[in-house]
Amino acid sequence: MAPGVIHNAERTRPPASGPCHVWMIDTTLRDGEQAPGVAFDRATKVAIASRLAEAGVDELEVGTPAMGASVRKDIRALVELGLDCRLTSWCRALKSDLELAVRCGTDGVHISFPVSLILLRAMGKSQDWVLAQLDALAAWSLPRFRLVSVGAQDALRAPPDFLRDFIASAARCGTHRVRIADTVGLARPLQVADLVRDLIPRAGRTTLEFHGHNDLGMATANTIAAIEAGIQAVSMTVNGIGERAGNAPLEQVAVAVGLLDNRSTSIDARKLVKISRFVSRSTHRPIPVDQPITGEAVFRHESGIHCAAILKDPTTYQPFPPEMLGRERAQLVAGRHSGAAVLKHLMAEAGVVLPGEKTGRLLRAVRAEALRKHTALSSCDLLRLYQRSVT
């Protein structure tokens, strides 16, 4: 191990009391950029990396040096920023890739190995080759990087005994971390939790990381299941961008971990929405209005029962306050499902005291207008409807 290295297991070990810190890795600039049609120029990479570091992300996976001279220049530019987080390069299990990573100057390196029979056949490799290459590349990398992470690519489809051997071999070699990758997104939460609990004793002091893809829509759930089962590190992308259906979204995992009783992160959730919107604009991929955490409508309420309760106590129908994300308080709107309480509230906000005898007439008019327009009504719409239908 290189002098001065802080072993990742030590970095993530919980204090004598209090929640265990989960090491948060963002791979938007590597795995995220592999999404079809996504390409970040250097200025955008600098902006994304800077924002993520300011938000408290522990580690950024910033690119693949073997992709070419332009990518290597980008990585070096990110290293020169001196960000307050660890930067790692992603490499295939080839010494030539690692030599390029050294020139880029990142603090850490991630070396990916195929471990499923499907990938081994496709790449023309054997299990013996993987274990021999793991030993050789770990020995070469450890004196040159402060962090050496190795990846079990397609781990959820690997033969269980070989995956255990891979983890144990990585620990014997002295690598700092092993990534358990659900490369094609076929895992389920209970399966992930069982796997993590099985592998942790075999890893010793080597940290385990989970990396989930979203092909079945379970990347966030799988990541949280891994954390609750004891995994110490997880990797995600902003907005979940990535190949096929993408990755676990950083913003969803960060907020979910923050709500767990026995886990914590260094991330400032108030900065996540702005980062999400910046990446959305940079990738030309709009955020769905009902996207968890970052969607425009996730704190918007129309139902009469919900609105009436929220006016009394916002926690009745909200899992956490929007202010926790740096967002404005819940937005109550008039529409097809509105009740009298929200109409009186919205009209009062507009400076109009709605007499009781007129509430029913306005409510009928609002529901008819919302059905006609197939949308909720704005404050201007509501005032206009009041003046036309009630006064």
Side-chain angles (χ1 to χ4, degrees):
M1 186 182 298
V5 170
I6 300 175
H7 196 286
N8 248 30
E10 294 172 352
R11 295 177 64 95
T12 58
R13 185 177 296 128
S17 61
C20 179
H21 177 79
V22 179
W23 188 262
M24 304 291 277
I25 306 162
D26 181 89
T27 181
T28 301
L29 299 181
R30 197 279 299 176
D31 207 349
E33 199 185 26
Q34 291 179 195
V38 173
F40 299 125
D41 59 27
R42 188 171 304 163
T44 302
K45 290 181 179 181
V46 166
I48 292 173
S50 299
R51 285 165 167 79
L52 289 169
E54 290 170 4
V57 174
D58 297 301
E59 182 176 327
L60 306 179
E61 194 171 66
V62 291
T64 305
M67 284 187 63
S70 176
V71 172
R72 291 193 290 274
K73 289 179 181 178
D74 290 346
I75 295 174
R76 283 194 291 270
L78 295 173
V79 171
E80 290 167 4
L81 293 175
L83 299 174
D84 187 22
C85 64
R86 171 167 282 157
L87 302 187
T88 56
S89 299
W90 189 95
C91 295
R92 297 167 297 179
L94 299 171
K95 185 181 176 183
S96 56
D97 277 25
L98 298 175
E99 290 170 339
L100 293 174
V102 169
R103 296 178 207 168
C104 291
T106 54
D107 197 40
V109 67
H110 178 78
I111 313 167
S112 182
F113 293 84
V115 293
S116 71
L117 297 179
I118 295 172
L119 289 190
L120 288 170
R121 285 195 296 267
M123 298 179 185
K125 304 298 182 183
S126 67
Q127 294 179 350
D128 288 342
W129 177 89
V130 168
L131 297 179
Q133 196 76 340
L134 169 61
D135 185 66
L137 296 182
W140 191 91
S141 300
L142 284 166
R144 294 171 171 84
F145 296 95
R146 289 178 62 84
L147 170 82
V148 176
S149 167
V150 296
Q153 190 179 164
D154 205 16
L156 274 295
R157 295 194 294 181
D161 286 343
F162 179 61
L163 181 60
R164 295 184 189 108
D165 288 345
F166 181 86
I167 300 293
S169 295
R172 283 195 301 271
C173 290
T175 61
H176 304 117
R177 191 169 69 218
V178 179
R179 173 177 292 174
I180 307 303
D182 180 23
T183 302
V184 293
L186 288 174
R188 289 96 59 202
L190 293 179
Q191 178 189 16
V192 171
D194 286 344
L195 180 64
V196 169
R197 283 190 286 264
D198 177 62
L199 295 178
I200 283 177
R202 305 168 196 281
R205 284 173 50 83
T206 297
T207 296
L208 291 185
E209 169 203 339
F210 180 75
H211 176 89
H213 280 261
N214 203 39
D215 296 76
L216 294 180
M218 288 189 272
T220 297
N222 286 334
T223 303
I224 297 302
I227 291 169
E228 291 189 306
I231 212 152
Q232 302 116 315
V234 290
S235 50
M236 302 130 302
T237 62
V238 177
N239 296 339
I241 62 170
E243 298 187 68
R244 305 181 314 278
N247 295 51
L250 168 70
E251 59 279 3
Q252 293 180 20
V253 173
V255 172
V257 174
L259 296 173
L260 297 176
D261 291 334
N262 58 349
R263 299 290 188 273
S264 67
T265 77
S266 300
I267 291 179
D268 184 348
R270 295 169 298 179
K271 297 182 179 180
L272 294 175
V273 174
K274 289 184 178 179
I275 295 172
S276 171
R277 290 173 181 172
F278 180 81
V279 171
S280 172
R281 293 192 298 272
S282 300
T283 56
H284 306 289
R285 293 184 173 209
I287 300 170
V289 296
D290 55 355
Q291 180 80 355
I293 311 302
T294 55
E296 286 288 345
V298 296
F299 294 105
R300 187 178 299 160
H301 304 270
E302 179 186 316
S303 164
I305 294 174
H306 286 214
C307 291
I310 283 172
L311 287 170
K312 297 174 183 176
D313 181 354
T315 65
T316 50
Y317 286 104
Q318 290 186 158
F320 46 84
E323 293 85 355
M324 189 179 98
L325 303 175
R327 301 185 64 166
E328 296 180 357
R329 60 186 174 84
Q331 181 184 6
L332 307 183
V333 300
R336 175 70 171 164
H337 308 96
S338 292
V342 73
L343 289 191
K344 290 181 178 180
H345 171 77
L346 293 173
M347 293 301 290
E349 284 192 330
V352 177
V353 177
L354 187 62
E357 68 274 10
K358 294 183 177 181
T359 303
R361 288 166 57 192
L362 180 58
L363 184 58
R364 288 190 294 272
V366 164
R367 290 174 173 174
E369 183 70 1
L371 183 59
R372 186 184 70 82
K373 295 180 68 172
H374 300 290
T375 185
L377 306 185
S378 67
S379 297
C380 292
D381 290 335
L382 185 59
L383 281 172
R384 193 161 42 245
L385 196 61
Y386 172 75
Q387 292 164 356
R388 187 177 74 222
S389 306
V390 179
T391 59

